[in-house]
């Protein structure tokens, strides 16, 4: 998703995220349909959907239509994928990327990245009830050239997303979505002057769920009601309880504190056209 956004001329990657038309990452909004996915404490989007769950991505630069509100430098609108009329199951990206020894091309030292993903979906009741289930796992390592080769940052991330479409009648439908996304970064702050014992591990967990009801009241009146809950938790943990000592050439001891942050957003959006 973020790699696709970087292909657009108005978007560049900056520390902390993506910049749309020169704005800071915290000034850009991210929505899934009518629902915002931005963490209220940081202004950043913490939820990552599986690749196969995304049907389309649209970037609306400032200024954009007033129906979206939350005026900012730009807005990314994600539409999720609906199940088709026939059942299908796909497994993608099963081949890992290998990590080689520095200065070599063929001396394999381990797995550098691995990101398999799953998509399955179809009708539960023909023409009435549909289920789309997607999931993705990602494992990656980052080499710090100034540290020994066996000292690596590692990232483990998993995301699951479920969408259910229920056609009550030709003029009335309900869409339910939900998912969760835990992740863990080991030795996340590893660097030239920060050895493994002085690094911190970062653990995050995002849960979300929502229901959207759509009704066509007449040939000219349409309404959509969406209720959504989104919560996120982030923990920063040191490697131990020792005091942190900053020296010109290195860092001794352990990371200097423990952090816990938990946020929740409850949204109700009513649209009548």
């Amino acid at each position: 998703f973020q790699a696709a956004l970087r292909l657009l001329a108005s978007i560049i990657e900056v520390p902390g995220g993506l910049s749309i038309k020169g704005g800071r990452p915290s000034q850009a909004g991210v929505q899934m349909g009518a629902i915002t996915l931005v963490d209220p404490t940081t202004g950043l989007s913490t939820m990552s959907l599986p690749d196969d769950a995304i049907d389309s991505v649209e970037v609306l630069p400032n200024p954009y239509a007033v129906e979206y509100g939350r005026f900012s430098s730009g807005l990314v609108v994600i539409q999720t994928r609906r199940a088709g009329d026939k059942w299908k199951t796909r497994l993608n990206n099963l081949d890992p990327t290998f990590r080689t020894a520095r200065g070599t091309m063929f001396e394999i030292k381990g797995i550098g990245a691995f990101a398999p993903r799953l998509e399955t979906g179809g009708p539960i009741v023909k023409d009435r009830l549909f289920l789309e289930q997607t999931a993705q796992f990602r494992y990656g390592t980052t080499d710090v050239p100034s540290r020994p080769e066996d000292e690596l940052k590692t990232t483990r991330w998993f995301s699951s997303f479920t969408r259910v479409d229920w056609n009550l009648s030709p003029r009335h439908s309900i869409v339910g979505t939900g998912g969760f996304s835990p992740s863990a970064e080991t030795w996340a702050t590893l660097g030239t002057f920060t050895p493994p014992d002085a690094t911190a591990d970062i653990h995050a967990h995002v849960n979300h769920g929502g229901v959207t009801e759509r009704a066509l009241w007449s040939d000219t009146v349409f309404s959509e009601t969406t209720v959504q809950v989104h919560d996120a938790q982030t923990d920063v943990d040191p490697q131990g309880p020792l005091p942190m000592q900053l020296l010109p050439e290195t860092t001794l001891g352990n990371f200097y504190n423990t952090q816990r942050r938990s946020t929740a957003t409850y949204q109700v959006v009513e649209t009548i056209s």
Side-chain angles (χ1 to χ4, degrees), residues 219-238:
D219 293 340
T220 58
V221 179
F222 169 80
S223 70
E224 181 177 285
T225 304
T226 301
V227 179
Q228 200 255 13
V229 179
H230 178 275
D231 70 83
Q233 180 174 329
T234 303
D235 300 330
V236 179
D237 298 305

Side-chain angles (χ1 to χ4, degrees), residues 4 11 15 26 36 69 81 129 134 147 153 177 195 202 208 227 247:
I11 298 178
S26 60
T36 182
R81 182 170 295 169
L129 188 62
T134 56
R147 304 295 309 178
K153 300 179 185 179
T177 59
I202 301 176
H208 59 95
V227 179
L247 303 180

Side-chain angles (χ1 to χ4, degrees), residues 39 46 203-207 231-235 260-263:
D39 189 323
T46 57
H203 301 270
H205 198 107
V206 180
N207 302 304
D231 70 83
Q233 180 174 329
T234 303
D235 300 330
R260 300 283 185 269
R261 184 177 71 243
S262 181
T263 62

Side-chain angles (χ1 to χ4, degrees), residues 175-204:
V175 178
T177 59
F180 59 94
S181 178
S183 64
E185 295 181 59
T186 305
W187 296 354
T189 56
L190 184 70
T192 300
F193 305 107
T194 307
D197 288 343
T199 62
D201 297 339
I202 301 176
H203 301 270

Side-chain angles (χ1 to χ4, degrees), residues 232-262:
Q233 180 174 329
T234 303
D235 300 330
V236 179
D237 298 305
Q239 307 300 324
L242 296 177
M244 192 176 196
Q245 302 179 49
L246 298 177
L247 303 180
E249 73 282 0
T250 188
T251 303
L252 302 179
N254 301 131
F255 191 69
Y256 68 95
N257 74 355
T258 299
Q259 303 174 26
R260 300 283 185 269
R261 184 177 71 243
S262 181

